[in-house]
Amino acid sequence: MHIRALTLRDFRSWEHADIELSTGATVFLGANGNGKTNLLEAAGYLSGLGSHRVAADAPLIRMGAERARIGAVVVNTGRELRVDVELNRNAANRAQINRSPVRRPREILGILHTVLFAPEDLALVRGDPGERRRFLDELCTARLPRLAAVRSDYERVLRQRSALLKTAGRHAKSTADLSTLDVWDGHLACHAAVLLAERLRLVHDLHPYLAQAYAAIAPESRPAAIGYRSSTLPTEFLEPTREPRPDDVEALEAIVLRELAAARPKELERGVCLVGPHRDELDLLLGAAPAKGFASHGESWSFALALRLGAFELLRATAAEPVLLLDDVFAELDRRRRQALARVAADAEQVLITAAVPEDVPAELTGATMSVSTVGPAEHRVSRMVAASAG
């Protein structure tokens, strides 16, 4: 899989950009603030309908514009598809496949797969659990695009149920409120079970790729592992080596319903939902110790890199090979980690790289080099450089 063309209109700092891309490595070279990262961010948005830098879409629309557009021509096993997304400041976002509108933007998921590694990824190890849940869910959705609808439905039901808990608590647990709460419990358990089953399947499948990637990056360190932590699920579901089963969704739904019933008095008292995947955690382990709080700075970088490389290898083995996006990361890595990342990148069908200076990119990554420069206050330019080597 690769991107043949990328188009931006009023996206971030770009008024417009039309870029032809090829397979292999492409390096976007330019000083900080020239808009290099925005190009990779746009490609990542088409893959997962989200940014790795901000939670909302509004900051992605250029200042003074009402909408932004991102488009790409994606080639997968010789077949071309055009995918476009329009981000609107005061209306719902819209999307097209081959210039034909689709009902919901999430229908484009699965056309383009990307794996992005950026300096912000250190938060996967050192940040709060929400960062790791997001990593899990985005990778789950890359493997199973229909999960985007499940995640959306779960979040909607969670908001509705949380509002009802607050109301029921204030009204001394009225019979009507509690009856309605039973209905929402059923909806929440249904969506939670599907999400939990896919997260558990992902942890099982990702674990060996993560361990292998970390061992290659930091062979002198303790072995790396991941595990799923949940106050809702019994321990037999949480072993990374446990094989997923066809009846998992049904079993998990029953467990969530049971735990919701048991937690209801506390939930009514506190007015919050205490049961479900929104409270779970992806454990990152070095030996027997959690990486967060115990890993050194170098080990934390190694773990973050291993998570992304593990995800890349997992998608490559089970789906179409993703486009690898490397946002100004080589400058952050020491020689060994640079080499480990360069080995994977050199073997990828397509890798897009941003760097401030040529020396930041390993010599192994030969390919196209494009200069990104600022022409005016709201105008950037991408021009292909004569040099054929990124190093």
Side-chain angles (χ1 to χ4, degrees):
M1 174 180 292
H2 66 276
I3 302 170
R4 185 176 64 76
L6 182 66
T7 303
L8 278 64
R9 295 291 182 273
D10 291 321
F11 180 83
R12 285 287 198 180
S13 58
W14 288 87
E15 184 176 3
H16 61 86
D18 295 280
I19 306 170
E20 295 291 326
L21 297 167
S22 58
T23 56
T26 297
V27 179
F28 295 105
L29 198 65
N32 293 335
N34 280 3
K36 306 185 304 296
T37 291
N38 301 343
L39 300 175
L40 269 59
E41 187 179 23
Y45 192 97
L46 289 175
S47 172
L49 293 180
S51 164
H52 69 289
R53 301 160 73 193
V54 292
D57 288 345
L60 305 180
I61 303 172
R62 189 171 65 87
M63 188 73 68
E66 288 300 311
R67 62 189 58 86
R69 296 183 180 90
I70 317 167
V73 178
V74 181
V75 182
N76 187 2
T77 60
R79 182 189 179 200
E80 285 195 358
L81 280 176
R82 171 86 196 191
V83 58
D84 293 273
V85 172
E86 181 181 275
L87 310 178
N88 290 291
R89 196 178 295 280
N90 298 306
N93 294 342
R94 299 187 292 182
Q96 295 179 336
I97 299 175
N98 286 339
R99 307 294 189 183
S100 297
V102 295
R103 290 178 59 196
R104 299 181 181 90
R106 64 175 179 245
E107 291 180 35
I108 73 168
L109 294 174
I111 292 177
L112 173 64
H113 291 165
T114 65
V115 170
L116 184 145
F117 185 50
E120 291 87 350
D121 280 343
L122 197 59
L124 287 174
V125 181
R126 295 187 166 181
D128 61 39
E131 298 284 349
R132 292 177 283 280
R133 287 193 294 267
R134 179 182 176 186
F135 168 79
L136 278 180
D137 290 343
E138 288 178 349
L139 188 50
C140 281
T141 304
R143 298 212 302 169
L144 188 68
R146 70 175 180 84
L147 197 67
V150 176
R151 291 169 58 191
S152 177
D153 288 341
Y154 179 81
E155 290 166 4
R156 175 181 56 82
V157 171
L158 181 63
R159 290 193 298 270
Q160 297 273 13
R161 188 175 181 275
S162 298
L164 183 58
L165 284 169
K166 293 177 182 177
T167 302
R170 288 197 301 266
H171 290 81
K173 308 172 189 177
S174 71
T175 302
D177 285 340
L178 295 181
S179 177
T180 306
L181 195 55
D182 289 338
V183 176
W184 286 114
D185 283 2
H187 291 315
L188 190 77
C190 176
H191 301 311
V194 178
L195 183 54
L196 285 167
E198 290 306 318
R199 283 185 181 179
L200 293 170
R201 185 185 302 274
L202 175 62
V203 170
H204 170 271
D205 294 348
L206 179 61
H207 182 266
Y209 291 101
L210 172 279
Q212 184 178 6
Y214 188 85
I217 296 166
E220 77 291 343
S221 182
R222 297 159 289 176
I226 54 175
Y228 195 79
R229 192 198 321 167
S230 172
S231 59
T232 304
L233 303 181
T235 55
E236 60 262 27
F237 278 90
L238 304 179
E239 292 296 329
T241 55
R242 176 187 178 274
E243 290 283 350
R245 300 170 188 169
D247 62 346
D248 273 356
V249 172
E250 183 178 343
L252 290 167
E253 185 174 351
I255 291 169
V256 174
L257 275 173
R258 184 188 68 210
E259 294 299 315
L260 285 169
R264 181 172 291 185
K266 288 185 179 179
E267 290 187 327
L268 288 168
E269 181 181 341
R270 297 175 57 179
V272 295
C273 186
L274 301 174
V275 174
H278 63 287
R279 299 182 66 87
D280 292 350
E281 166 72 293
L282 176 67
D283 279 332
L284 311 180
L285 303 171
L286 284 177
K292 183 177 181 179
F294 288 87
S296 68
H297 183 73
E299 288 173 328
S300 296
W301 265 116
S302 294
F303 214 127
L305 179 57
L307 283 169
R308 292 302 189 190
L309 294 182
F312 178 80
E313 296 294 350
L314 174 62
L315 290 176
R316 175 189 259 181
T318 59
E321 178 172 327
V323 176
L324 189 58
L325 308 175
L326 305 178
D327 181 23
D328 204 21
V329 295
F330 287 110
E332 302 282 348
L333 304 175
D334 61 19
R335 181 180 58 84
R336 176 184 294 167
R337 295 176 181 87
R338 286 161 62 100
Q339 290 176 341
L341 181 53
R343 282 194 296 270
V344 174
D347 192 42
E349 180 177 349
Q350 186 178 52
V351 53
L352 306 181
I353 305 165
T354 65
V357 293
E359 292 76 21
D360 284 345
V361 184
E364 306 96 290
L365 295 178
T366 59
T369 300
M370 296 190 180
S371 173
V372 181
S373 57
T374 301
V375 179
E379 188 176 355
H380 304 274
R381 180 173 57 200
V382 178
S383 54
R384 189 176 294 270
M385 298 176 69
V386 176
S389 172

